[in-house]
Amino acid sequence: MLKIAYAPNYCHPLPAGHRFPMEKYELLPGQLLYEGIVSQENFFQPEQIAEKWILKAHSKSYWDKLRSLSLSKSEIRATGFPLSKALVDRETTIVQGSVQAAEFALEFGIGMNIAGGTHHAFTDRGEGFCLLNDIAVTAHYLLDQKLASRVLVVDLDVHQGNGTAEIFQQEPRVFTFSMHGEKNYPHRKEQSDLDLPLVDGIQDEVYLEVLKKNLVDVLEQFQPDFIIYQSGVDILASDKLGRLGLSMQGVKERDYFVLNLAKSQNIPTMCCMGGGYSEDIRIIIDAHTQLYRAAQELFF
């Protein structure tokens, strides 16, 4: 069965006019149910991640500042969210959701999180709407529990997974793969194991050609036994922050390719949603929804 992490606090209240589309975390589960892609039994509600797992990916000094709400004004500004206990509780719940989704992936081949993909959170700081790195915590959890020995992070958000790259820069058991806008945020990129910078306006055919060639090569060379897939939909041409030129069909083909490749090689895969900033929220929801449809069609 497809198991999906979701908790009500994923949709956190933000000031009026905030540019982050927080409502998508409430709308997406509803859309999946409305379309009959899943039923209520597919969802599970995570609690909060234990501190010991947070400290595998983040420094104690940063975590102490975060949980005590003592980040500086500039540190808070870098995250893009007003800091509160409710926000920190949200982040720890999302991280636990990714960890549990990964455990379900080991059982069923795939597991998903309605949120997550917080790849801009570094060892010692948060930025870009990311406070705790659920990808990094999940990878550490899998390795430490001996549930996996080589974890591949496939990050296809339009923005480089800079925090994930920094956290794993000295960890050979985790391979960080990032396809992202060359001229987009973050302006100072980190070094992933494989970075594929993309020109502004790139369209479906060229994008998919680059992805297919490189991801197949990485699988052959690295031989992962677990994949974490950051499936951001901010590569769409309609995205306010994206600068790329992909169609909805292109995003669909991307997701089907990644999941089909993982399924064909029997590599358990955890999917986290990543970013999406199209003006019309319905476009964001449609783009995310088809990933769940692909998971059901390919795995169940």
Side-chain angles (χ1 to χ4, degrees):
M1 175 186 287
L2 179 62
K3 299 300 287 184
I4 304 165
Y6 169 70
N9 71 346
Y10 280 17
C11 187
H12 177 77
L14 291 173
H18 197 285
R19 66 177 180 167
F20 188 83
M22 188 67 78
E23 65 270 28
K24 79 174 185 177
Y25 300 116
E26 193 170 62
L27 295 172
L28 180 54
Q31 187 66 24
L32 295 174
L33 292 167
Y34 174 76
E35 292 190 26
I37 297 170
V38 303
S39 62
Q40 282 291 353
E41 67 178 344
N42 291 101
F43 293 100
F44 68 91
Q45 183 168 327
E47 300 297 329
Q48 292 179 32
I49 191 77
E51 179 183 73
K52 73 179 222 176
W53 297 115
I54 293 172
L55 297 178
K56 294 287 183 179
H58 297 285
S59 67
K60 189 172 188 309
S61 59
Y62 171 60
W63 169 237
D64 286 346
K65 285 195 294 182
L66 186 61
R67 67 176 177 173
S68 63
L69 309 181
S70 57
L71 296 180
S72 69
K73 287 184 179 179
S74 64
E75 288 172 325
I76 294 171
R77 195 179 311 115
T79 71
F81 290 144
L83 185 60
S84 66
K85 182 182 184 301
L87 179 68
V88 177
D89 289 347
R90 171 188 186 264
E91 304 307 309
T92 56
T93 304
I94 288 171
V95 174
Q96 178 66 18
S98 288
V99 167
Q100 287 184 250
E103 291 182 315
F104 281 119
L106 291 164
E107 183 177 355
F108 298 113
I110 191 166
M112 306 179 85
N113 194 346
I114 287 288
T118 46
H119 58 172
H120 299 311
F122 287 72
T123 303
D124 61 353
R125 67 188 187 278
E127 63 178 50
F129 307 133
C130 304
L131 284 84
L132 295 172
N133 194 312
D134 68 302
I135 296 170
V137 173
T138 301
H140 275 298
Y141 177 86
L142 291 168
L143 294 169
D144 283 19
Q145 297 292 97
K146 301 194 183 327
L147 298 172
S149 59
R150 292 178 307 282
V151 178
L152 170 62
V153 177
V154 178
D155 192 332
L156 300 185
D157 193 275
V158 79
H159 305 111
Q160 192 211 30
N162 55 344
T164 313
E166 180 266 332
I167 290 170
F168 290 120
Q169 59 187 347
Q170 303 296 329
E171 176 50 85
R173 296 174 297 171
V174 177
F175 190 103
T176 50
F177 173 104
S178 181
M179 269 181 73
H180 51 263
E182 180 179 19
K183 297 179 180 177
N184 210 319
Y185 173 92
H187 300 298
R188 180 185 177 278
K189 307 290 194 289
E190 298 293 326
Q191 182 65 54
S192 308
D193 289 299
L194 179 60
D195 286 302
L196 299 172
L198 305 170
V199 297
D200 286 0
I202 191 171
Q203 297 185 350
D204 296 358
E205 185 177 355
V206 176
Y207 179 97
L208 292 167
E209 183 181 330
V210 171
L211 171 62
K212 290 175 180 180
K213 178 189 183 305
N214 285 278
L215 188 53
V216 168
D217 287 348
V218 168
L219 285 178
E220 288 178 358
Q221 294 165 20
F222 183 63
Q223 295 286 305
D225 52 13
F226 198 95
I227 292 173
I228 298 175
Y229 178 30
Q230 211 277 24
S231 59
V233 300
D234 40 14
I235 62 172
L236 283 165
S238 60
D239 198 272
K240 295 181 294 184
L241 305 180
R243 299 174 62 161
L244 303 188
L246 272 80
S247 69
M248 188 70 77
Q249 179 62 27
V251 175
K252 178 180 178 179
E253 288 184 32
R254 176 198 73 170
D255 291 342
Y256 269 80
F257 171 74
V258 173
L259 296 194
N260 193 48
L261 189 61
K263 175 72 161 53
S264 69
Q265 299 196 24
N266 295 311
I267 307 172
T269 301
M270 190 279 284
C271 305
C272 41
M273 292 305 99
Y277 308 94
S278 296
E279 193 76 53
D280 187 343
I281 189 72
R282 291 173 297 183
I283 293 174
I284 301 173
I285 300 303
D286 285 347
H288 283 311
T289 296
Q290 56 78 29
L291 178 65
Y292 292 82
R293 191 179 295 115
Q296 289 283 37
E297 289 178 10
L298 293 170
F299 287 82
F300 302 101

